[in-house]
């Protein structure tokens, strides 16, 4: 996952691609080679995890094993169809609705997810990595050759911005170990934001891929629009379409546009399951409940019992405290999940086509 521009959300995109691929039942590895700014441990909620040393090399951190996830009530209905190149594609089966504007998702088998990052080796979040180019190159090669991954179907690599030492070392090592008898380097996913200044820098990354012989699977436009935290609807807050125009210019596939959703930030920063306040005509009953509470001097029944069905939230902020549910399970309640499920389906199709 590449970009010639910093701050476009590569780590966020990589993490959500990994979660979506795991939800599709695939066994996934997530490798973070952003050595000076490793953010994958924080996004996964695993900052206290540490890499273990084994006789044959390093053991990756297990984010979650393969298992069956329970049903989810109140998940957002798919709203990312307009972000896909094929508007007629079905994002999800027609899940039953919960009567409050949300979907009821059935139990779901998922694949295992593992991760490696320099962040797992540092003493704390504030620890600085001050390395020259040769040491960065050596660490990248060690991550690529000395990690004892379990059997994986896909390995996602989160990279730093630019086209410097880490990228050159990554390209050389991956291409060197690519042969007809070993898993192939499927290609690069290039991330940009819609603004012209970002697109102009990301163009250099596409040129870099061509120079070093890495195929480009497609372009993702991040921060494209904004998901309202009250209702989950999408609106254009920033510019839109820069990534798609760049993809057309370079003749590469446009994988999709990803809007801003504050609930995704609350999920990775605070561990809260995303919830959305939906305008489904239920305001009157809510007001009646509040009037009754004031007149009787009692707290609402749900508040007294500590219940929260995960379907509503005040002003889009989750009313649930951080829980022990898996990140991938809580991600199913995020509005971005359906968008990334569509993107990953496109990616899987492109990768499988390239293997034929």
């Amino acid at each position: 996952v590449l970009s010639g521009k910093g701050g476009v959300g590569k780590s966020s995109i990589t993490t959500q691609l990994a979660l979506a691929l795991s939800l599709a039942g695939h066994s996934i590895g997530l490798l973070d080679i952003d050595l000076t700014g490793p953010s994958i441990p924080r996004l996964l909620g695993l900052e206290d995890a540490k890499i273990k040393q084994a006789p044959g090399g390093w053991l990756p951190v297990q984010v979650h094993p393969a298992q069956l996830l329970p049903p989810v009530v109140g998940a957002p209905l798919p709203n990312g169809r307009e972000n896909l190149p094929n508007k007629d594609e079905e994002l999800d089966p027609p899940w039953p609705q919960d009567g409050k504007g949300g979907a009821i998702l059935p139990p779901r088998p998922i694949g295992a997810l593992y991760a490696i990052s320099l962040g797992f080796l540092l003493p704390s979040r504030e620890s600085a990595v001050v390395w020259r180019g040769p040491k960065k190159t050596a660490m990248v090669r060690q991550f690529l050759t000395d990690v004892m991954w379990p059997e994986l179907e896909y390995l996602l690599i989160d990279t730093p911005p630019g086209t410097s030492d880490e990228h050159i070392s990554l390209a050389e090592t991956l291409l060197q170990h690519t042969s007809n008898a070993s898993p192939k380097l499927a290609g690069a996913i290039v991330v940009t934001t819609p603004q012209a200044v970002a697109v102009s820098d990301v163009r250099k990354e596409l040129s870099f891929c061509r120079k070093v012989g890495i195929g480009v699977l497609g372009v993702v436009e991040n921060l494209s629009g904004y998901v309202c935290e009250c209702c989950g609807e999408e609106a254009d807050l920033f510019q839109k379409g820069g990534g798609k125009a760049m993809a057309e210019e370079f003749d590469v596939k446009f994988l999709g546009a990803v809007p801003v959703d504050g609930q995704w930030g609350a999920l990775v920063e605070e561990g809260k399951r995303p919830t959305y306040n939906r305008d489904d005509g239920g305001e009157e009953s809510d007001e009646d409940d509040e009037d009754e509470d004031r007149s009787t001097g009692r707290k609402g029944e749900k508040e007294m019992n500590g219940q929260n069905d995960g379907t509503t939230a005040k002003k889009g902020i989750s009313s649930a405290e951080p829980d022990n549910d898996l990140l991938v399970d809580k991600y199913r309640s995020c509005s971005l999940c359906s968008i990334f499920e569509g993107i990953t389906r496109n990616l899987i199709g492109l990768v499988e086509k390239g293997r034929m």
Side-chain angles (χ1 to χ4, degrees):
V1 181
L2 302 168
S3 179
K5 184 73 174 175
V8 299
K10 290 182 301 300
S11 297
S12 174
I13 295 294
T14 308
T15 300
Q16 293 185 80
L17 287 173
L19 294 174
L21 285 168
S22 175
L23 285 169
H26 301 286
S27 179
I28 305 299
L30 179 52
L31 172 58
D32 181 7
I33 65 166
D34 191 345
L35 303 179
T36 57
S39 54
I40 291 298
R42 183 170 182 174
L43 290 172
L44 295 175
L46 296 173
E47 287 187 286
D48 294 331
K50 297 298 178 183
I51 296 173
K52 295 181 180 180
Q53 184 75 38
W58 284 335
L59 297 176
V61 172
Q62 185 182 67
V63 181
H64 61 251
Q67 59 186 282
L68 181 68
L69 293 181
V72 172
V73 177
L77 295 172
N79 64 351
R81 192 180 317 280
E82 66 277 5
N83 295 313
L84 297 176
N86 181 8
K87 305 291 191 303
D88 298 327
E89 180 183 358
E90 287 294 331
L91 288 176
D92 283 304
W95 305 129
Q97 298 188 30
D98 60 5
K100 300 180 181 179
I104 302 175
L105 305 183
R108 188 165 188 174
I110 62 170
L113 176 58
Y114 300 86
I116 280 284
S117 171
L118 186 61
F120 294 133
L121 297 172
L122 298 177
S124 70
R125 181 189 297 178
E126 290 76 21
S127 300
V129 177
V130 186
W131 289 352
R132 294 186 184 273
K135 193 162 186 179
K136 289 183 178 181
T137 298
M139 178 57 73
V140 170
R141 288 177 176 168
Q142 190 171 2
F143 273 159
L144 291 171
T145 58
D146 293 352
V147 176
M148 299 176 62
W149 295 101
E151 185 175 351
L152 300 177
E153 295 177 72
Y154 297 100
L155 175 65
L156 298 173
I157 304 176
D158 183 34
T159 65
T163 55
S164 56
D165 297 317
E166 295 95 327
H167 305 81
I168 297 171
S169 177
L170 174 66
E172 290 177 346
T173 305
L174 288 177
L175 294 174
Q176 179 182 356
H177 288 80
T178 294
S179 66
N180 293 330
S182 65
K184 293 183 178 180
L185 171 60
I189 301 167
V190 178
V191 181
T192 186
T193 52
Q195 297 90 337
V197 64
V199 172
S200 64
D201 286 339
V202 177
R203 292 172 188 267
K204 301 171 186 176
E205 202 72 37
L206 292 171
S207 300
F208 168 82
C209 291
R210 289 182 175 178
K211 286 184 178 180
V212 300
I214 296 178
V216 177
L217 293 173
V219 172
V220 174
E221 182 178 292
N222 195 24
L223 309 182
S224 179
Y226 169 73
V227 174
C228 178
E229 293 191 359
C230 295
C231 63
E233 293 297 320
E234 190 178 331
D236 291 338
L237 183 62
F238 305 111
Q239 296 174 340
K240 200 169 186 177
K244 186 174 184 179
M246 181 183 67
E248 293 174 350
E249 178 183 346
F250 280 81
D251 194 25
V252 297
K253 191 174 184 65
F254 180 66
L255 296 172
V258 180
V260 178
D261 185 358
Q263 291 293 303
W264 162 249
L267 170 59
V268 296
E269 291 290 346
E270 305 171 34
K272 295 181 178 180
R273 181 181 291 273
T275 55
Y276 301 90
N277 217 15
R278 300 181 182 90
D279 185 8
D280 56 2
E283 293 85 356
E284 183 176 351
S285 61
D286 292 340
E287 292 177 0
D288 291 342
D289 291 341
E290 293 177 2
D291 292 339
E292 181 180 351
D293 294 342
R294 286 192 294 266
S295 62
T296 60
R298 294 184 294 105
K299 292 185 177 180
E301 181 180 353
K302 286 188 177 181
E303 187 176 352
M304 288 180 64
N305 296 332
Q307 296 176 351
N308 183 353
D309 60 7
T311 58
T312 60
K314 295 291 185 181
K315 298 183 180 179
I317 302 300
S318 174
S319 58
E321 293 298 324
D323 53 51
N324 294 323
D325 291 342
L326 294 174
L327 173 66
V328 66
D329 184 25
K330 291 183 280 191
Y331 181 62
R332 289 194 293 168
S333 299
C334 183
S335 70
L336 301 182
C337 182
S338 62
I339 296 176
F340 275 90
E341 286 180 326
I343 291 175
T344 52
R345 273 198 291 272
N346 277 330
L347 282 173
I348 292 171
L350 291 170
V351 172
E352 294 301 323
K353 183 178 180 181
R355 289 176 177 173
M356 299 175 62

